Amino acid sequence: MLHIHNGDSVASTARRANIPGRHLPFRESLIAGPIPTSAAPHEWIEQRARFLSETYEQNLLRVRNDLLDQEKAIDEARHEDEVILWFEHDLYCLIHFIYLLGRLAKNKHLTMVWSPLPLGAADEAELVNLFNSRAAVPPMMIRIAAEAWGAYTADDATALNRFLNPNSEFAFLADGFQLHGSRFPSVRNGLGEVEKRALEGIAGGALDFMALFTRFDQSPPRYGFGDGEFLRHLRRLATSAIPMITITEAEGTTPPKLLCALTPMGQSVLDGKADFIELNNAGFWLGGAYLTREKMWRWDGSTVVRA
């Protein structure tokens, strides 16, 4: 029996609870960076490893080896009597969940704990109860997951619109894809929802990083980002050609405290008087779409539109 968890914390709790089987934390961040679906496996690993190591300041060799080991474990999962996927209803988990459903579609006994509540908050007894109430993954869900993964990784982001309406066969899929759609630059001011929430938080007085991060995705979390992913967005706002914020390190604090402040242009963009993309171009990935000023998609509040 192989369990694939949404992170190290849940995997550790499951081990302490003596839930039988091997417990593998899925270590990726497929909500960010290039997703080279047409690349050969070794090219996929190399591109992802370089992105993850550069973006999150990790050792390239270790990241590459971890990804290789993880992909090998997923490939070998076909020999398991049962594979159980443990993921929760947030965007971060959803993308990994549909990826793994595609990879493991041919497994003879694929089950899931697809939880509406954060698994990281569950204690050992609660995880045991979830394990005992796990459900088989329906064939229809696997088919929908494959189609949703194709839309997420498509180079034309309007493919996402097909999955924005509720689907009784796949809980949270529409909500998750709406959250992903909202990450595209807004038609109002060029900010994605993540950046908009960050600027609104700073404008509302959440000036240090942890206060801002806590405010960004309050309970229950629906984006599911860790602090490293949120910091990546803040750094982009601070290092763009025309910065939206400044980030400074407070002196005399342990660990160092990062302090954020809006720039005048950041306030103008937040107020809808200027457009972030028109000021700074794009040059970033959202799923399979690479956004530039010349090749742009925007979020109009309900759908992804080609700009």
Side-chain angles (χ1 to χ4, degrees):
M1 182 182 292
L2 174 66
H3 305 261
I4 303 180
H5 294 277
N6 64 335
D8 289 88
S9 174
V10 180
S12 296
T13 305
R15 292 187 193 103
R16 291 197 303 272
N18 293 318
I19 294 175
R22 295 185 298 117
H23 296 270
L24 174 71
F26 187 72
R27 297 179 180 137
E28 245 287 15
S29 188
L30 293 172
I31 46 83
I35 304 179
T37 53
S38 61
H42 68 279
E43 294 172 342
W44 162 286
I45 293 293
E46 189 60 29
Q47 290 188 47
R48 291 300 302 169
R50 289 189 178 279
F51 170 79
L52 293 170
S53 66
E54 292 169 3
T55 302
Y56 302 112
E57 299 179 351
Q58 299 179 15
N59 178 270
L60 174 59
L61 180 60
R62 181 172 61 81
V63 172
R64 184 190 292 120
N65 287 339
D66 285 348
L67 289 178
L68 287 168
D69 290 344
Q70 180 167 272
E71 290 300 303
K72 181 181 178 182
I74 295 170
D75 287 337
E76 293 178 349
R78 64 184 181 276
H79 301 302
E80 300 288 343
D81 291 332
E82 181 179 358
V83 177
I84 307 171
L85 302 179
W86 296 71
F87 290 88
E88 62 198 54
H89 292 190
D90 62 48
L91 174 62
Y92 191 88
C93 273
L94 173 67
I95 299 307
H96 294 159
F97 187 47
I98 62 175
Y99 168 72
L100 288 167
L101 285 175
R103 288 290 308 278
L104 299 167
K106 295 182 179 180
N107 277 63
K108 57 185 178 182
H109 193 186
L110 182 62
T111 59
M112 64 180 177
V113 175
W114 181 224
S115 173
L117 299 175
L119 293 170
D123 60 24
E124 295 171 21
E126 289 169 329
L127 286 190
V128 170
N129 287 336
L130 288 170
F131 168 68
N132 289 332
S133 61
R134 68 195 184 279
V137 179
M140 178 62 74
M141 194 176 194
I142 292 175
R143 184 179 68 79
I144 295 170
E147 295 172 355
W149 177 253
Y152 178 75
T153 58
D155 59 5
D156 180 357
T158 59
L160 297 166
N161 294 330
R162 178 186 167 196
F163 296 92
L164 297 179
N165 296 318
N167 188 322
S168 60
E169 302 286 347
F170 201 136
F172 189 72
L173 179 64
D175 291 338
F177 268 55
Q178 288 167 9
L179 287 168
H180 176 55
S182 75
R183 297 200 294 157
F184 284 80
S186 166
V187 297
R188 176 176 177 268
N189 58 11
L191 292 172
E193 180 66 19
V194 176
E195 291 79 14
K196 181 175 79 72
R197 290 191 189 186
L199 295 190
E200 288 176 341
I202 296 169
L207 303 183
D208 73 86
F209 174 76
M210 287 311 301
L212 190 58
F213 176 59
T214 302
R215 176 171 174 164
F216 156 67
D217 194 16
Q218 295 183 342
S219 181
R222 284 297 175 248
Y223 282 96
F225 294 173
D227 54 3
E229 176 61 16
F230 186 59
L231 182 58
R232 182 178 74 88
H233 286 79
L234 292 182
R235 284 174 172 164
R236 176 168 169 259
L237 291 170
T239 59
S240 52
I242 301 179
M244 301 291 102
I245 65 173
T246 60
I247 300 177
T248 57
E249 188 173 302
E251 296 181 0
T253 59
T254 304
K257 179 184 287 188
L258 299 180
L259 300 177
C260 302
L262 279 181
T263 64
M265 188 55 74
Q267 185 66 60
S268 293
V269 168
L270 186 58
D271 293 339
K273 298 176 182 178
D275 187 278
F276 177 67
I277 296 298
E278 292 179 2
L279 292 170
N280 290 300
N281 203 341
F284 58 90
W285 292 90
L286 285 172
Y290 185 69
L291 281 66
T292 66
R293 185 181 284 130
E294 295 75 24
K295 191 177 181 181
M296 175 59 56
W297 296 266
R298 290 188 181 243
W299 179 248
D300 69 3
S302 60
T303 56
V304 177
V305 295
R306 183 67 188 265

